[in-house]
Amino acid sequence: MTEPSRAAADDQGPAEPFLPPGAASAAVRQRVAVLGATGSIGTNTLDVIARHPERFEVVALSAHRQLDALLSLCERFRPRWAIIDAVHAPALAHGLRARGLPTVALSGAEALTEVAAHPDVDTVMAAIVGAAGLAPCIAAARAGKRLLLANKEALVVGGEVFLQAVRLGGARLLPIDSEHSAIFQALPEDPATWPQRVEKIVLTASGGPFRTRDPATLATVTPQQACAHPNWVMGRKISVDSATMMNKALEVIEARYLFGFAPQQIEVVIHPQSVIHSMVQYRDGSVVAQLGTPDMRVPIAYGLSWPERMASGAEPLDFGRLGALTFEAPDASRFPCLFLAWEALAAPAGTTAVLNAANEVAVEAFLQGRLRFDRIYVVNRGTLEQCLPSKPQDLADLLALDAQARACAAQWVRRLQDA
Protein backbone atom coordinates (compact mmCIF):
# COMPACT_ATOMS: atom_id res chain seq x y z
CA MET A 1 0.00 0.00 0.00
CA THR A 2 1.22 3.48 -0.76
CA GLU A 3 1.46 6.31 1.68
CA PRO A 4 -1.94 7.83 2.58
CA SER A 5 -2.86 10.60 0.16
CA ARG A 6 -2.51 14.11 1.43
CA ALA A 7 -6.00 15.38 1.94
CA ALA A 8 -7.97 18.12 1.37
CA ALA A 9 -25.63 -7.86 10.06
CA ASP A 10 -27.24 -9.46 11.15
CA ASP A 11 -29.25 -7.94 14.07
CA GLN A 12 -28.99 -11.04 16.25
CA GLY A 13 -25.20 -11.06 16.16
CA PRO A 14 -22.70 -13.74 15.18
CA ALA A 15 -23.09 -17.42 15.88
CA GLU A 16 -19.74 -17.36 17.69
CA PRO A 17 -17.88 -14.72 19.71
CA PHE A 18 -15.40 -12.52 17.89
CA LEU A 19 -12.83 -12.14 20.61
CA PRO A 20 -9.47 -13.90 20.31
CA PRO A 21 -8.52 -16.97 22.33
CA GLY A 22 -5.19 -17.03 24.14
CA ALA A 23 -2.32 -16.18 21.82
CA ALA A 24 1.34 -15.36 21.72
CA SER A 25 2.57 -12.05 23.04
CA ALA A 26 2.44 -8.98 20.84
CA ALA A 27 5.57 -7.72 19.12
CA VAL A 28 8.12 -6.02 21.34
CA ARG A 29 7.42 -2.59 19.87
CA GLN A 30 3.95 -1.97 18.51
CA ARG A 31 3.38 0.82 16.00
CA VAL A 32 0.14 2.45 17.14
CA ALA A 33 -2.34 4.74 15.40
CA VAL A 34 -4.56 6.61 17.86
CA LEU A 35 -7.72 7.70 16.06
CA GLY A 36 -9.50 10.23 18.24
CA ALA A 37 -6.31 11.24 20.03
CA THR A 38 -7.62 14.39 21.72
CA GLY A 39 -10.67 12.78 23.36
CA SER A 40 -10.68 11.14 26.77
CA ILE A 41 -9.86 7.66 25.43
CA GLY A 42 -7.14 9.03 23.17
CA THR A 43 -5.43 11.06 25.86
CA ASN A 44 -5.54 8.14 28.29
CA THR A 45 -4.12 5.85 25.61
CA LEU A 46 -1.22 8.21 25.03
CA ASP A 47 -0.63 8.45 28.78
CA VAL A 48 -0.28 4.65 28.96
CA ILE A 49 1.92 4.53 25.85
CA ALA A 50 4.21 7.22 27.27
CA ARG A 51 4.85 4.98 30.29
CA HIS A 52 6.19 2.21 28.03
CA PRO A 53 8.31 3.79 25.28
CA GLU A 54 10.21 0.52 24.82
CA ARG A 55 6.98 -1.23 23.81
CA PHE A 56 5.11 1.31 21.69
CA GLU A 57 5.70 3.84 18.94
CA VAL A 58 2.99 6.35 18.01
CA VAL A 59 2.87 6.52 14.21
CA ALA A 60 -0.43 8.35 13.67
CA LEU A 61 -2.72 10.70 15.56
CA SER A 62 -6.10 12.06 14.53
CA ALA A 63 -8.39 14.76 15.84
CA HIS A 64 -11.62 16.15 14.45
CA ARG A 65 -11.16 19.88 15.05
CA GLN A 66 -8.84 20.18 18.06
CA LEU A 67 -5.96 21.81 16.21
CA ASP A 68 -3.92 23.14 19.14
CA ALA A 69 -4.27 19.92 21.11
CA LEU A 70 -3.23 17.85 18.11
CA LEU A 71 -0.17 20.03 17.49
CA SER A 72 0.86 19.65 21.12
CA LEU A 73 0.57 15.88 20.85
CA CYS A 74 2.61 15.90 17.66
CA GLU A 75 5.36 17.82 19.44
CA ARG A 76 5.39 15.22 22.20
CA PHE A 77 5.07 11.98 20.19
CA ARG A 78 6.38 13.01 16.73
CA PRO A 79 4.11 10.68 14.72
CA ARG A 80 4.53 10.07 11.00
CA TRP A 81 1.00 11.31 10.26
CA ALA A 82 -1.50 13.69 11.85
CA ILE A 83 -5.08 13.82 10.58
CA ILE A 84 -7.66 16.56 11.06
CA ASP A 85 -10.77 17.84 9.26
CA ALA A 86 -10.35 19.65 5.95
CA VAL A 87 -11.08 23.09 7.39
CA HIS A 88 -8.13 22.92 9.79
CA ALA A 89 -5.75 20.99 7.53
CA PRO A 90 -3.83 24.05 6.20
CA ALA A 91 -3.34 25.36 9.74
CA LEU A 92 -2.17 21.93 10.86
CA ALA A 93 0.39 21.75 8.05
CA HIS A 94 1.61 25.27 8.87
CA GLY A 95 1.85 24.51 12.58
CA LEU A 96 3.86 21.35 11.97
CA ARG A 97 6.30 23.22 9.72
CA ALA A 98 6.63 26.07 12.20
CA ARG A 99 7.59 23.60 14.89
CA GLY A 100 10.08 21.83 12.66
CA LEU A 101 8.24 18.52 12.97
CA PRO A 102 8.53 15.78 10.33
CA THR A 103 4.87 14.82 10.76
CA VAL A 104 2.79 14.81 7.55
CA ALA A 105 -0.57 16.63 7.78
CA LEU A 106 -3.54 14.70 6.33
CA SER A 107 -7.27 15.32 6.35
CA GLY A 108 -10.55 13.68 5.59
CA ALA A 109 -12.23 10.32 5.97
CA GLU A 110 -10.10 8.72 3.26
CA ALA A 111 -6.92 9.51 5.16
CA LEU A 112 -8.33 7.88 8.30
CA THR A 113 -9.14 4.65 6.48
CA GLU A 114 -5.77 4.55 4.67
CA VAL A 115 -3.81 5.09 7.86
CA ALA A 116 -5.89 2.49 9.73
CA ALA A 117 -5.00 -0.09 7.06
CA HIS A 118 -1.40 0.99 6.41
CA PRO A 119 1.22 -1.80 6.63
CA ASP A 120 3.37 0.34 8.93
CA VAL A 121 0.57 0.35 11.55
CA ASP A 122 0.32 -2.67 13.85
CA THR A 123 -2.32 -1.49 16.32
CA VAL A 124 -5.27 0.87 15.89
CA MET A 125 -6.94 2.52 18.86
CA ALA A 126 -10.43 3.21 17.48
CA ALA A 127 -11.62 6.07 19.67
CA ILE A 128 -13.46 8.27 17.17
CA VAL A 129 -16.92 8.97 18.58
CA GLY A 130 -19.95 8.16 16.49
CA ALA A 131 -20.61 6.63 13.09
CA ALA A 132 -17.63 8.57 11.67
CA GLY A 133 -15.40 5.92 13.22
CA LEU A 134 -17.01 3.04 11.35
CA ALA A 135 -15.08 3.22 8.06
CA PRO A 136 -11.58 3.24 9.63
CA CYS A 137 -12.61 0.37 11.93
CA ILE A 138 -13.67 -1.72 8.94
CA ALA A 139 -10.45 -0.78 7.11
CA ALA A 140 -8.33 -1.83 10.09
CA ALA A 141 -10.28 -5.08 10.43
CA ARG A 142 -9.85 -5.94 6.77
CA ALA A 143 -6.13 -5.28 7.06
CA GLY A 144 -5.81 -7.68 10.00
CA LYS A 145 -4.77 -5.15 12.61
CA ARG A 146 -4.77 -5.45 16.36
CA LEU A 147 -7.92 -3.36 16.79
CA LEU A 148 -8.59 -1.79 20.19
CA LEU A 149 -12.27 -1.02 20.00
CA ALA A 150 -13.46 2.00 21.95
CA ASN A 151 -15.90 3.01 19.20
CA LYS A 152 -19.26 1.42 20.03
CA GLU A 153 -20.63 2.24 16.62
CA ALA A 154 -18.35 -0.23 14.82
CA LEU A 155 -20.51 -3.00 16.27
CA VAL A 156 -23.79 -1.16 16.89
CA VAL A 157 -23.87 0.26 13.36
CA GLY A 158 -21.53 -2.12 11.56
CA GLY A 159 -22.98 -5.33 12.96
CA GLU A 160 -22.39 -8.31 10.73
CA VAL A 161 -20.74 -6.16 8.02
CA PHE A 162 -18.01 -5.19 10.48
CA LEU A 163 -17.64 -8.71 11.86
CA GLN A 164 -17.30 -10.10 8.35
CA ALA A 165 -14.36 -7.73 7.87
CA VAL A 166 -12.85 -9.07 11.11
CA ARG A 167 -13.29 -12.64 9.86
CA LEU A 168 -11.82 -12.04 6.43
CA GLY A 169 -8.92 -9.91 7.63
CA GLY A 170 -8.00 -12.04 10.63
CA ALA A 171 -7.97 -8.96 12.85
CA ARG A 172 -7.43 -9.27 16.59
CA LEU A 173 -10.40 -7.49 18.16
CA LEU A 174 -9.97 -6.32 21.77
CA PRO A 175 -12.62 -4.34 23.70
CA ILE A 176 -11.68 -1.09 25.43
CA ASP A 177 -14.99 -0.11 27.03
CA SER A 178 -14.41 -0.81 30.70
CA GLU A 179 -17.48 -3.06 30.85
CA HIS A 180 -16.58 -5.21 27.86
CA SER A 181 -12.95 -5.43 28.91
CA ALA A 182 -14.16 -6.62 32.31
CA ILE A 183 -16.34 -9.31 30.72
CA PHE A 184 -13.42 -10.40 28.53
CA GLN A 185 -11.19 -10.70 31.58
CA ALA A 186 -13.80 -12.67 33.56
CA LEU A 187 -14.68 -15.19 30.83
CA PRO A 188 -12.79 -18.48 30.32
CA GLU A 189 -9.82 -18.16 27.99
CA ASP A 190 -11.28 -20.57 25.42
CA PRO A 191 -14.45 -19.12 23.80
CA ALA A 192 -15.50 -22.62 22.71
CA THR A 193 -16.35 -23.40 26.35
CA TRP A 194 -18.52 -20.34 26.97
CA PRO A 195 -21.90 -21.83 25.95
CA GLN A 196 -21.46 -24.77 28.33
CA ARG A 197 -20.05 -22.83 31.26
CA VAL A 198 -21.65 -19.35 31.27
CA GLU A 199 -25.22 -18.56 32.37
CA LYS A 200 -25.19 -14.81 31.64
CA ILE A 201 -23.08 -11.68 31.58
CA VAL A 202 -23.87 -8.65 33.72
CA LEU A 203 -22.91 -5.14 32.61
CA THR A 204 -22.65 -2.63 35.42
CA ALA A 205 -23.76 0.99 35.06
CA SER A 206 -23.08 3.94 37.32
CA GLY A 207 -26.56 5.37 36.85
CA GLY A 208 -25.05 8.70 35.86
CA PRO A 209 -25.95 12.04 37.43
CA PHE A 210 -29.74 11.41 37.56
CA ARG A 211 -29.84 8.01 39.23
CA THR A 212 -31.94 9.31 42.13
CA ARG A 213 -33.61 12.27 40.42
CA ASP A 214 -37.40 12.37 40.14
CA PRO A 215 -38.23 11.43 36.53
CA ALA A 216 -40.90 14.13 36.48
CA THR A 217 -38.15 16.78 36.71
CA LEU A 218 -36.00 15.55 33.81
CA ALA A 219 -37.61 17.97 31.35
CA THR A 220 -35.63 20.84 32.89
CA VAL A 221 -32.19 19.17 32.78
CA THR A 222 -29.46 21.35 31.24
CA PRO A 223 -26.49 20.15 29.17
CA GLN A 224 -24.15 21.17 31.99
CA GLN A 225 -26.06 19.01 34.47
CA ALA A 226 -26.20 16.06 32.08
CA CYS A 227 -22.44 16.21 31.49
CA ALA A 228 -21.56 16.25 35.20
CA HIS A 229 -20.82 12.55 35.58
CA PRO A 230 -20.19 11.50 39.20
CA ASN A 231 -17.38 8.99 38.46
CA TRP A 232 -15.90 9.37 34.96
CA VAL A 233 -14.39 12.24 32.99
CA MET A 234 -15.77 11.87 29.48
CA GLY A 235 -16.72 13.83 26.37
CA ARG A 236 -20.05 15.63 26.18
CA LYS A 237 -21.83 13.16 23.92
CA ILE A 238 -20.97 10.06 25.93
CA SER A 239 -21.71 11.94 29.16
CA VAL A 240 -25.26 12.63 27.95
CA ASP A 241 -25.56 8.99 26.90
CA SER A 242 -24.57 8.00 30.43
CA ALA A 243 -27.21 10.33 31.86
CA THR A 244 -29.94 8.69 29.72
CA MET A 245 -28.29 5.24 30.02
CA MET A 246 -28.30 5.09 26.24
CA ASN A 247 -24.60 4.30 26.56
CA LYS A 248 -25.58 1.08 28.33
CA ALA A 249 -28.11 0.27 25.62
CA LEU A 250 -25.33 0.56 23.05
CA GLU A 251 -23.08 -1.59 25.26
CA VAL A 252 -25.74 -4.31 25.44
CA ILE A 253 -25.80 -4.40 21.64
CA GLU A 254 -22.01 -4.34 21.50
CA ALA A 255 -21.78 -7.20 24.01
CA ARG A 256 -24.20 -9.25 21.91
CA TYR A 257 -21.87 -9.02 18.92
CA LEU A 258 -18.60 -9.33 20.85
CA PHE A 259 -19.41 -12.34 22.98
CA GLY A 260 -22.12 -14.11 20.99
CA PHE A 261 -24.53 -14.61 23.89
CA ALA A 262 -28.27 -14.35 23.31
CA PRO A 263 -29.79 -10.95 24.23
CA GLN A 264 -31.67 -12.51 27.14
CA GLN A 265 -28.31 -13.62 28.59
CA ILE A 266 -27.20 -9.98 28.92
CA GLU A 267 -28.26 -8.12 32.04
CA VAL A 268 -27.66 -4.58 33.28
CA VAL A 269 -27.38 -3.61 36.94
CA ILE A 270 -26.72 -0.17 38.40
CA HIS A 271 -23.62 -0.04 40.58
CA PRO A 272 -23.06 3.60 41.60
CA GLN A 273 -19.50 3.18 42.89
CA SER A 274 -18.16 1.99 39.48
CA VAL A 275 -15.69 -0.36 41.18
CA ILE A 276 -17.03 -3.62 39.73
CA HIS A 277 -16.84 -3.01 36.01
CA SER A 278 -18.87 -6.06 34.97
CA MET A 279 -19.48 -9.69 35.91
CA VAL A 280 -19.92 -13.17 34.48
CA GLN A 281 -22.34 -15.60 36.12
CA TYR A 282 -21.49 -19.25 35.55
CA ARG A 283 -23.78 -22.27 35.32
CA ASP A 284 -22.83 -23.41 38.82
CA GLY A 285 -23.96 -20.11 40.36
CA SER A 286 -20.47 -18.64 40.73
CA VAL A 287 -19.98 -14.99 39.73
CA VAL A 288 -16.60 -13.73 38.53
CA ALA A 289 -16.19 -9.95 38.60
CA GLN A 290 -13.45 -7.59 37.48
CA LEU A 291 -12.78 -4.76 39.92
CA GLY A 292 -10.66 -1.65 39.71
CA THR A 293 -10.62 2.08 40.22
CA PRO A 294 -12.77 3.98 37.67
CA ASP A 295 -9.82 4.80 35.40
CA MET A 296 -9.91 4.08 31.66
CA ARG A 297 -6.16 3.50 31.63
CA VAL A 298 -6.79 0.02 33.09
CA PRO A 299 -8.75 -1.44 30.12
CA ILE A 300 -6.56 0.52 27.70
CA ALA A 301 -3.37 -0.97 29.15
CA TYR A 302 -4.93 -4.43 29.07
CA GLY A 303 -5.85 -4.02 25.40
CA LEU A 304 -2.41 -2.74 24.47
CA SER A 305 -0.53 -5.46 26.36
CA TRP A 306 -2.89 -8.46 26.02
CA PRO A 307 -2.34 -11.32 26.69
CA GLU A 308 0.21 -9.85 29.11
CA ARG A 309 -0.42 -7.13 31.68
CA MET A 310 1.54 -3.96 32.28
CA ALA A 311 1.39 -0.88 34.49
CA SER A 312 -1.41 1.50 33.56
CA GLY A 313 -0.76 4.39 35.93
CA ALA A 314 -4.09 3.89 37.70
CA GLU A 315 -4.27 3.92 41.48
CA PRO A 316 -4.84 0.45 42.95
CA LEU A 317 -7.96 -0.25 44.95
CA ASP A 318 -7.63 0.36 48.68
CA PHE A 319 -10.05 -2.18 50.15
CA GLY A 320 -9.68 -0.65 53.59
CA ARG A 321 -11.21 2.59 52.31
CA LEU A 322 -13.55 1.13 49.74
CA GLY A 323 -16.74 1.17 51.76
CA ALA A 324 -20.01 -0.39 50.61
CA LEU A 325 -20.69 -1.65 47.11
CA THR A 326 -24.37 -1.31 46.20
CA PHE A 327 -26.52 -2.53 43.33
CA GLU A 328 -29.99 -1.76 42.02
CA ALA A 329 -32.15 -2.57 39.03
CA PRO A 330 -32.49 0.18 36.40
CA ASP A 331 -35.77 2.10 36.53
CA ALA A 332 -37.63 2.09 33.19
CA SER A 333 -39.40 5.37 34.00
CA ARG A 334 -36.08 7.15 34.59
CA PHE A 335 -34.02 5.35 31.92
CA PRO A 336 -36.37 4.30 29.09
CA CYS A 337 -33.56 4.54 26.52
CA LEU A 338 -31.82 1.53 28.05
CA PHE A 339 -34.62 -0.86 27.19
CA LEU A 340 -34.53 0.05 23.50
CA ALA A 341 -31.45 -2.19 23.21
CA TRP A 342 -33.33 -5.47 23.51
CA GLU A 343 -36.07 -4.20 21.18
CA ALA A 344 -33.51 -3.28 18.53
CA LEU A 345 -31.77 -6.65 18.83
CA ALA A 346 -35.11 -8.43 18.31
CA ALA A 347 -35.94 -6.32 15.24
CA PRO A 348 -34.71 -6.75 11.62
CA ALA A 349 -31.02 -6.38 10.79
CA GLY A 350 -29.95 -2.74 10.66
CA THR A 351 -32.28 -1.60 13.45
CA THR A 352 -29.38 -1.11 15.85
CA ALA A 353 -27.82 1.27 13.31
CA VAL A 354 -31.08 3.22 13.18
CA LEU A 355 -31.11 3.50 16.97
CA ASN A 356 -27.55 4.79 17.07
CA ALA A 357 -28.17 7.42 14.37
CA ALA A 358 -31.33 8.65 16.05
CA ASN A 359 -29.56 9.00 19.36
CA GLU A 360 -26.66 10.96 17.86
CA VAL A 361 -29.10 13.43 16.31
CA ALA A 362 -31.13 13.73 19.50
CA VAL A 363 -28.10 14.24 21.76
CA GLU A 364 -26.66 16.89 19.45
CA ALA A 365 -30.00 18.72 19.48
CA PHE A 366 -30.10 18.57 23.27
CA LEU A 367 -26.54 19.89 23.63
CA GLN A 368 -27.44 22.74 21.27
CA GLY A 369 -30.51 23.64 23.31
CA ARG A 370 -32.99 22.54 20.63
CA LEU A 371 -34.43 19.50 22.42
CA ARG A 372 -35.48 18.77 25.98
CA PHE A 373 -33.51 16.09 27.77
CA ASP A 374 -36.55 13.89 28.34
CA ARG A 375 -37.35 14.00 24.62
CA ILE A 376 -34.14 12.24 23.58
CA TYR A 377 -36.06 9.01 24.19
CA VAL A 378 -39.03 10.29 22.16
CA VAL A 379 -36.77 10.92 19.15
CA ASN A 380 -35.12 7.51 19.52
CA ARG A 381 -38.41 5.66 19.88
CA GLY A 382 -40.11 7.55 17.07
CA THR A 383 -37.23 6.97 14.66
CA LEU A 384 -37.16 3.24 15.43
CA GLU A 385 -40.87 2.99 14.67
CA GLN A 386 -40.72 5.07 11.50
CA CYS A 387 -37.41 4.08 9.87
CA LEU A 388 -37.62 0.43 8.81
CA PRO A 389 -34.26 -0.91 7.56
CA SER A 390 -33.51 -3.53 4.95
CA LYS A 391 -30.59 -5.81 5.77
CA PRO A 392 -27.37 -3.87 5.02
CA GLN A 393 -24.82 -5.77 2.96
CA ASP A 394 -21.81 -3.46 2.96
CA LEU A 395 -20.43 -0.14 4.18
CA ALA A 396 -22.35 1.81 1.53
CA ASP A 397 -25.63 0.28 2.74
CA LEU A 398 -24.74 1.12 6.35
CA LEU A 399 -23.93 4.73 5.51
CA ALA A 400 -27.15 5.08 3.51
CA LEU A 401 -29.17 3.64 6.39
CA ASP A 402 -27.39 5.96 8.81
CA ALA A 403 -28.27 8.98 6.65
CA GLN A 404 -31.89 7.86 6.33
CA ALA A 405 -32.22 7.42 10.09
CA ARG A 406 -30.62 10.79 10.77
CA ALA A 407 -33.04 12.53 8.44
CA CYS A 408 -35.96 10.83 10.18
CA ALA A 409 -34.61 11.77 13.62
CA ALA A 410 -34.11 15.38 12.52
CA GLN A 411 -37.78 15.50 11.52
CA TRP A 412 -38.72 14.30 14.98
CA VAL A 413 -36.55 17.00 16.56
CA ARG A 414 -38.24 19.70 14.47
CA ARG A 415 -41.67 18.28 15.29
CA LEU A 416 -40.94 18.35 19.01
CA GLN A 417 -39.52 21.89 18.79
CA ASP A 418 -42.78 23.09 17.27
CA ALA A 419 -44.95 21.23 19.76
Side-chain angles (χ1 to χ4, degrees):
M1 181 180 294
T2 60
E3 289 280 307
S5 55
R6 297 184 186 227
D10 186 293
D11 58 305
Q12 288 299 305
E16 298 180 355
F18 274 78
L19 290 172
S25 174
V28 173
R29 189 170 169 83
Q30 294 180 49
R31 296 168 297 181
V32 184
V34 182
L35 306 184
T38 58
S40 60
I41 296 293
T43 54
N44 278 306
T45 300
L46 293 170
D47 180 88
V48 173
I49 286 174
R51 296 170 187 274
H52 303 276
E54 76 288 354
R55 297 190 61 160
F56 304 102
E57 175 190 359
V58 176
V59 294
L61 298 170
S62 85
H64 184 32
R65 299 191 184 98
Q66 301 296 322
L67 173 63
D68 291 340
L70 183 57
L71 283 169
S72 295
L73 291 175
C74 288
E75 281 192 289
R76 183 179 180 189
F77 292 98
R78 302 178 73 85
R80 186 185 305 184
W81 306 295
I83 310 165
I84 203 164
D85 71 342
V87 173
H88 293 87
L92 175 62
H94 174 76
L96 292 169
R97 288 194 302 270
R99 289 163 172 78
L101 298 175
T103 303
V104 176
L106 308 171
S107 70
E110 183 179 354
L112 287 171
T113 57
E114 291 189 17
V115 165
H118 198 280
D120 290 344
V121 173
D122 303 312
T123 298
V124 175
M125 169 56 79
I128 296 174
V129 175
L134 177 59
C137 281
I138 289 178
R142 285 175 177 162
K145 304 301 182 186
R146 183 186 185 100
L147 180 54
L148 309 184
L149 195 63
N151 174 283
K152 292 179 174 64
E153 291 73 19
L155 286 163
V156 175
V157 179
E160 183 60 26
V161 173
F162 172 66
L163 293 177
Q164 183 67 10
V166 174
R167 286 191 198 99
L168 295 176
R172 182 169 291 167
L173 186 61
L174 295 160
I176 297 302
D177 270 351
S178 60
E179 296 81 2
H180 300 104
S181 177
I183 294 295
F184 183 35
Q185 294 178 59
L187 282 166
E189 187 173 280
D190 183 2
T193 69
W194 296 354
Q196 293 76 39
R197 299 175 66 182
V198 175
E199 183 70 27
K200 65 181 177 180
I201 59 178
V202 182
L203 301 175
T204 58
S206 69
F210 307 135
R211 180 178 62 86
T212 60
R213 181 161 174 156
D214 182 352
T217 69
L218 293 176
T220 61
V221 163
T222 66
Q224 182 178 7
Q225 291 171 328
C227 291
H229 196 281
N231 298 340
W232 300 94
V233 177
M234 305 180 292
R236 283 164 63 80
K237 194 269 181 184
I238 194 172
S239 294
V240 175
D241 283 349
S242 180
T244 63
M245 280 190 72
M246 187 66 209
N247 71 321
K248 210 56 53 176
L250 298 177
E251 287 170 15
V252 167
I253 296 167
E254 190 178 4
R256 168 68 180 127
Y257 284 119
L258 276 172
F259 304 111
F261 293 106
Q264 61 268 25
Q265 290 180 283
I266 305 172
E267 183 179 321
V268 171
V269 63
I270 292 178
H271 168 51
Q273 295 81 20
S274 295
V275 170
I276 295 178
H277 297 303
S278 279
M279 299 171 276
V280 174
Q281 181 173 314
Y282 286 81
R283 299 281 185 189
D284 62 2
S286 300
V287 177
V288 176
Q290 188 266 336
L291 286 72
T293 52
D295 189 322
M296 283 305 300
R297 290 177 296 178
V298 174
I300 289 168
Y302 186 66
L304 284 167
S305 63
W306 179 89
E308 302 172 5
R309 290 183 184 266
M310 66 183 188
S312 67
E315 289 293 325
L317 280 178
D318 183 343
F319 287 93
R321 299 173 55 189
L322 192 55
L325 300 180
T326 61
F327 305 90
E328 58 197 64
D331 178 1
S333 65
R334 185 177 286 108
F335 301 118
C337 282
L338 169 64
F339 299 90
L340 294 175
W342 289 273
E343 292 185 35
L345 285 170
T351 303
T352 58
V354 171
L355 178 58
N356 177 78
N359 185 65
E360 286 194 18
V361 170
V363 170
E364 181 180 15
F366 166 69
L367 288 172
Q368 293 175 351
R370 297 185 291 112
L371 185 71
R372 280 182 7 202
F373 178 82
D374 61 331
R375 288 179 170 173
I376 294 174
Y377 169 75
V378 178
V379 173
N380 292 345
R381 159 66 68 190
T383 305
L384 279 182
E385 293 175 350
Q386 189 173 333
C387 185
L388 303 177
S390 57
K391 184 175 181 179
Q393 301 295 323
D394 53 26
L395 179 58
D397 287 350
L398 290 170
L399 295 177
L401 178 59
D402 180 77
Q404 177 189 354
R406 287 174 188 275
C408 181
Q411 290 178 348
W412 272 97
V413 171
R414 288 192 292 270
R415 189 179 310 166
L416 292 168
Q417 281 181 288
D418 296 336

